[in-house]
């Protein structure tokens, strides 16, 4: 079989790596890919939103199915576009993708199907939002979220009333997030540990992957501004068997019930972001695709052929498939450009990648390009170094041993990834 992976980050590199392991796949294409992916798959120079070109490429090259990595083409309706041409594709339809592309839709879906989440109000008018915040206690923390897709930058954690008002004005009046911030959600702040549950689903059945924990802040000890994610590990010890069974029953089963009741077509991966409110799991957010960098920690643990899972999802036969996972821990440390998530420079040569060896060690490329035959930096998050081992401490040690082998100018990374697990 031949497969096309859409996207250009570390998540897509991890997806390509799984397809390359499959005996059923003879050729992996990736559009538009990156420098590292080009060493593993054939790069196709087509943008993720150019549906006509992508579908034409699939038809011309007799590609058996397509796997969508990022949220933007899903929100724009790539699945509907491909299926109208009878092309097989893994991902939710546009209407189902609103669980991620609209925070307001997502919160109202949760309210309707009794899925535990933080108390909230949504606003399309700045004055009304500010008036509501006048009733907010002065030092009570709040979370202000942009309704639309904002590339991971649409959530403001606010220390009190004034901070929340400033966030509302920045989003709704100053348009710092463009149209994504035209409508906002203001919700109560919950202070608790977070978990990421990635779920395979065909809209009828589901299979939960090992839970992971992401590290969003740029600096050690969860300090500094939020990023797209500075590292992740799986399985997270916080996700006990008991907690996971509660999350399946009180959250995931209700989501699937809602998907069916709303007649949404959902054939792909659902990301359920959880925060613990005391001992009760609440939903922070849904994503309609693999998380990044969680994927780089979770997918390497997969024992079952990824192609079999994708085909079972497309054919709505997931319920009949037993999915197996390695009895190991995986730790992914993100190497970022100095200055990220703010202003950074790129174009620097990356050295030492050839020194990362062994099947339990991987370097997933995110922001890289090939320049004069050499791998160079081309983004904020540059690489995800993943290592696996039988216990979490060994996985952490191995990951950081490999991190030390790699270098590029102004390289920055957190030194405490997965420390919480210990």
């Amino acid at each position: 079989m031949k497969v096309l992976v859409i996207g250009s980050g570390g998540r897509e590199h991890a997806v390509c790596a799984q397809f390359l392991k499959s005996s059923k796949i003879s050729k992996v294409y990736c559009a538009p890919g990156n420098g590292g992916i080009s060493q593993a798959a054939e790069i196709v120079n087509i943008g993720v939103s150019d549906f006509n070109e992508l579908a034409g490429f699939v038809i011309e090259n007799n590609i058996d199915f397509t796997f969508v990595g990022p949220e933007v083409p899903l929100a724009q309706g790539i699945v509907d576009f491909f299926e109208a041409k009878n092309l097989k594709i893994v991902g939710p339809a546009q209407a189902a993708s609103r669980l991620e592309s609209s925070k307001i839709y997502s919160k109202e879906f949760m309210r309707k199907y009794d899925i535990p989440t933080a108390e909230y109000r949504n606003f399309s008018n700045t004055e009304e939002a500010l008036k509501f915040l006048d009733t907010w206690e002065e030092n009570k923390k709040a979370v202000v979220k942009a309704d639309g897709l904002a590339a991971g930058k649409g959530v403001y954690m606010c220390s009190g009333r004034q901070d929340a008002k400033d966030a509302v004005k920045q989003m709704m009046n100053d348009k710092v997030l463009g149209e994504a911030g035209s409508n906002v959600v203001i919700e109560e702040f919950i202070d608790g540990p977070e978990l990421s549950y990635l779920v395979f689903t065909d809209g009828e059945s589901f299979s939960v992957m090992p839970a992971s924990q992401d590290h969003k802040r740029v600096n050690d000890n969860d300090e500094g501004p939020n990023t797209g994610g500075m590292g992740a590990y799986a399985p997270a010890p916080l996700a006990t068997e008991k907690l996971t069974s509660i999350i399946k029953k009180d959250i995931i089963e209700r989501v699937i019930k809602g998907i069916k009741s709303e007649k949404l077509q959902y054939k792909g991966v659902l990301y359920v972001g959880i925060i613990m409110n005391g001992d009760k799991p609440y939903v922070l957010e849904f994503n309609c695709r693999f998380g990044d960098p969680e994927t780089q920690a979770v997918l390497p643990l997969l024992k079952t052929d990824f192609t079999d899972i994708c085909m079972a999802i497309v054919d709505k036969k997931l319920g009949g498939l037993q999915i197996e996972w390695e009895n190991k821990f995986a730790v992914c440390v993100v190497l970022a450009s100095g200055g990220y998530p703010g202003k950074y420079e790129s174009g620097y040569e990356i050295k030492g990648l050839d020194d990362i060896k062994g099947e339990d060690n991987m370097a997933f490329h995110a922001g890289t390009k090939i320049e004069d035959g050499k791998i160079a930096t081309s983004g904020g998050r540059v690489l995800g170094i993943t290592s696996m081992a039988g216990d979490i401490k060994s996985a952490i040690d191995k990951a950081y041993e490999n991190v030390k082998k790699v270098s590029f100018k102004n390289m920055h990374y957190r030194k405490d990834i997965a420390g919480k697990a210990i």
Side-chain angles (χ1 to χ4, degrees), residues 265-300:
Q265 184 172 307
Y266 204 118
K267 295 193 282 189
V269 175
L270 174 71
Y271 168 113
V272 185
I274 296 287
I275 190 159
M276 296 305 295
N277 191 4
D279 60 357
K280 195 170 181 199
Y282 273 39
V283 175
L284 264 182
E285 64 173 351
F286 295 122
N287 291 336
C288 290
R289 35 76 194 181
F290 272 124
D292 186 336
E294 293 95 337
T295 307
Q296 295 90 298
V298 173
L299 266 190

Side-chain angles (χ1 to χ4, degrees), residues 45-269:
N45 193 18
I46 304 174
V48 299
S49 300
D50 200 339
F51 298 172
N52 269 316
E53 288 277 317
L54 289 166
F57 181 84
V58 165
I59 293 162
E60 209 175 297
N61 291 275
N62 297 312
I63 288 165
D64 295 275
F65 69 100
T66 299
F67 188 97
V68 189
E71 63 275 21
V72 170
L74 292 169
Q76 291 171 339
I78 190 169
V79 170
D80 313 64
F81 187 89
F82 270 49
E83 290 191 335
K85 295 181 181 296
N86 291 318
L87 300 174
K88 289 187 174 183
I89 185 164
V90 181
Q94 187 173 30
S97 298
R98 284 183 300 163
L99 285 170
E100 175 171 12
S101 65
S102 169
K103 289 283 187 287
I104 293 171
Y105 176 83
S106 168
K107 292 293 275 190
E108 289 176 349
F109 179 95
M110 286 186 258
R111 182 180 275 170
K112 186 173 179 180
Y113 292 100
D114 198 23
I115 295 160
T117 188
E119 286 297 318
Y120 74 98
R121 291 276 299 274
N122 51 273
F123 299 93
S124 54
N125 176 291
T126 314
E127 293 313 310
E128 283 177 17
L130 295 175
K131 210 163 150 185
F132 168 72
L133 284 169
D134 281 333
T135 67
W136 202 264
E137 287 170 41
E138 192 178 347
N139 297 317
K140 185 182 167 186
K141 290 181 178 178
V143 183
V144 179
K145 296 180 175 178
D147 176 47
L149 293 177
K153 299 181 178 76
V155 178
Y156 286 38
M157 309 297 240
C158 305
S159 57
R161 184 200 299 151
Q162 193 52 50
D163 205 11
K165 283 185 164 187
D166 291 344
V168 166
K169 287 175 192 166
Q170 283 173 35
M171 285 188 201
M172 299 185 87
N173 291 352
D174 304 343
K175 299 285 184 199
V176 292
L177 302 171
E179 285 310 303
S182 298
N183 300 313
V184 300
V185 172
I186 300 172
E187 63 179 37
E188 64 170 331
F189 174 85
I190 295 171
D191 193 10
E194 294 180 26
L195 282 169
S196 304
Y197 278 85
L198 290 162
V199 182
F200 291 120
T201 182
D202 57 9
E204 301 277 340
S205 306
F206 68 88
S207 178
V208 178
M209 304 179 220
S212 55
Q213 234 178 4
D214 178 18
H215 298 61
K216 279 277 181 234
R217 303 277 183 164
V218 73
N219 297 323
D220 289 2
N221 305 315
D222 293 328
E223 290 175 358
N226 262 341
T227 70
M230 292 299 290
Y233 65 95
L238 177 66
T240 59
E241 224 171 283
K242 185 184 174 190
L243 179 61
T244 299
S245 70
I246 290 167
I247 286 167
K248 281 182 185 174
K249 186 166 100 20
D250 291 353
I251 294 171
I252 299 168
E253 282 179 13
R254 292 178 191 177
V255 176
I256 302 301
K257 182 188 168 195
I259 283 169
K260 285 197 235 178
S261 298
E262 301 292 320
K263 296 186 169 49
L264 300 174
Q265 184 172 307
Y266 204 118
K267 295 193 282 189
V269 175

